[in-house]
Amino acid sequence: MYRAKQDGGNTLRFFAPEMQAHTRRSLELASGLKHATAHGELFLVFQPQCALDSGALTGAEALLRWRHPQWGLVSPAEFIPIAEQSGTIVAIDLWVLEHAALQLRAWDAQGLPELVVAVNVSAAQFGRPQFVEEVLATLQRVGVAPQRIEMELTEAVALKQPEQAEITIRKLHAAGFRVALDDFGTGYSSMSYLKRYAIDKLKIDQSFVRDLAEQGSDQAIVTAIIRMAQSLGLRTIAEGVETAEQAQLLQAYGCDEMQGYWYSRPLEPQAFAAFAQRHRSSLALSQ
Ligand code: C2E
Ligand code: MG
Ligand code: MG
Ligand code: MG
């Protein structure tokens, strides 16, 4: 039980030590995030994505990592919500886009096949009136075409202000970006938006993939998503694929691509380059 006591002025003191520690950590993370980009504490890892039929490398998702001077490696699952609350997410998302683009240029210079990199877009970033202009200016500065970037939006982001979102997605699309709906199936998406939005791809959430081999209900959901996507002309990618059995089922269901530990964990840029060189030609799924 937590007991709070009013302490003279307006300070609340919590007696549960674990809560105190938790609060202290959150506060330190929130203030640390303001300087994380300037202090060089953020870096990107890249998780390969592949075609389920050929096993060929098709692209990568850029995932953010934070090495905190005291706390060590902090998970984005913990610091992204804090960045969203404190507003630092807008600067962070732009940093991610810029560094993903810089990485693309570096890989191009190393002679890697031309890849598309997916970046995650937060609600705060997506909702800004100057969002599309800002990302275009960033890419122009770096010298990377929008065709090389896929914007990952969650259903919550896309549906917060549906009319505005429809316009923004259309603008992104017209500028040449690809647009994917992330964590698909976990939000409250209205099917009618799928038709209206200029979306290219659905990312089937890993919660449906995890027990795919055992759960008939997950099989039903996944096949329904794939069938619906096909009839709407959208591509599908499954997230969190960890076993050959899951990959084989997904392939049988007609899913286009996959991403997950079974193909590869997220990799630092050099390791990704080596991986991409090894997978230049197709890789049989049985390998
Ligand atoms: P997400 O966009 O759905 O990313 C997929 C997450 O699943 C990543 O976690 C990835 O490492 C993890 N994953 C990939 N394959 C497997 C697998 O086979 N099994 C399991 N169990 N997990 C797998 P990560 O990197 O910890 O990121 C968590 C979330 O944080 C992301 O979910 C995304 O919502 C957010 N995030 C990460 N980077 C950024 C960023 O640059 N900007 C924003 N706004 N959000 C980000
Ligand atoms: Mg994502
Ligand atoms: Mg996802
Ligand atoms: Mg997810």
Side-chain angles (χ1 to χ4, degrees):
M1 274 285 272
Y2 299 128
R3 284 186 297 125
K5 166 176 128 195
Q6 203 76 29
D7 195 33
N10 50 12
T11 39
L12 270 181
R13 197 161 280 164
F14 294 96
F15 290 98
E18 66 274 24
M19 186 161 186
Q20 215 169 32
H22 176 79
T23 310
R24 206 190 75 203
R25 181 175 161 100
S26 301
L27 289 173
E28 283 185 18
L29 292 182
S31 79
L33 270 175
K34 288 188 221 136
H35 317 289
T37 44
H39 292 179
E41 293 163 13
L42 297 182
F43 62 101
L44 293 177
V45 290
F46 296 85
Q47 188 170 33
Q49 301 174 331
C50 79
L52 267 160
D53 52 2
S54 66
L57 178 71
T58 52
E61 179 176 5
L63 293 161
L64 189 56
R65 297 290 178 263
W66 183 18
R67 194 170 283 121
H68 188 279
Q70 275 95 52
W71 300 102
L73 208 56
V74 186
S75 158
E78 180 177 13
F79 74 78
I80 294 288
I82 296 173
E84 279 170 346
Q85 275 163 28
S86 57
T88 44
I89 191 68
V90 173
I92 289 173
D93 272 359
L94 266 181
W95 183 94
V96 169
L97 178 75
E98 182 177 2
H99 284 78
L102 285 167
Q103 193 56 62
L104 274 173
R105 287 213 50 171
W107 285 331
D108 287 351
Q110 291 169 36
L112 251 65
E114 283 215 351
L115 291 166
V116 173
V117 167
V119 296
N120 292 282
V121 180
S122 67
Q125 167 78 331
F126 184 76
R128 280 155 62 83
Q130 64 274 52
F131 167 62
V132 180
E133 287 72 24
E134 234 164 34
V135 297
L136 281 171
T138 302
L139 288 186
Q140 197 161 28
R141 189 153 30 84
V142 179
V144 163
Q147 283 76 10
R148 307 282 304 276
I149 302 288
E150 183 166 277
M151 297 287 185
E152 290 195 7
L153 315 170
T154 60
E155 294 162 276
V157 169
L159 292 170
K160 220 172 183 184
Q161 290 179 300
E163 284 76 25
Q164 202 51 48
E166 190 180 348
I167 296 167
T168 306
I169 293 172
R170 196 168 299 140
K171 271 208 258 177
L172 284 173
H173 217 258
F177 291 100
R178 291 206 211 160
V179 181
L181 265 194
D182 202 358
D183 304 339
F184 187 76
T186 59
Y188 299 95
S189 56
S190 150
M191 299 302 154
S192 67
Y193 288 116
L194 287 182
K195 198 177 64 178
R196 277 172 45 195
Y197 284 179
I199 289 163
D200 303 286
K201 202 178 194 180
L202 299 183
K203 294 196 80 174
I204 301 170
D205 190 67
Q206 55 188 58
S207 60
F208 304 116
V209 176
R210 197 173 301 129
D211 303 316
L212 194 63
E214 298 83 32
Q215 287 281 347
S217 53
D218 287 336
Q219 294 173 5
I221 292 168
V222 168
T223 48
I225 292 175
I226 293 168
R227 213 169 300 134
M228 178 185 64
Q230 284 172 341
S231 65
L232 291 169
L234 305 174
R235 295 182 64 76
T236 46
I237 178 165
E239 298 190 287
V241 178
E242 295 185 352
T243 68
E245 200 176 4
Q246 290 165 349
Q248 273 149 13
L249 281 172
L250 288 159
Q251 187 185 353
Y253 298 157
C255 186
D256 298 305
E257 291 168 46
M258 69 164 167
Q259 175 183 339
Y261 297 163
W262 189 66
Y263 185 55
S264 172
R265 290 192 172 253
L267 302 170
E268 293 198 26
Q270 268 200 320
F272 184 89
F275 183 92
Q277 295 290 8
R278 284 201 305 276
H279 294 79
R280 285 190 87 100
S281 48
S282 351
L283 163 95
L285 277 179
S286 54
Q287 274 186 300

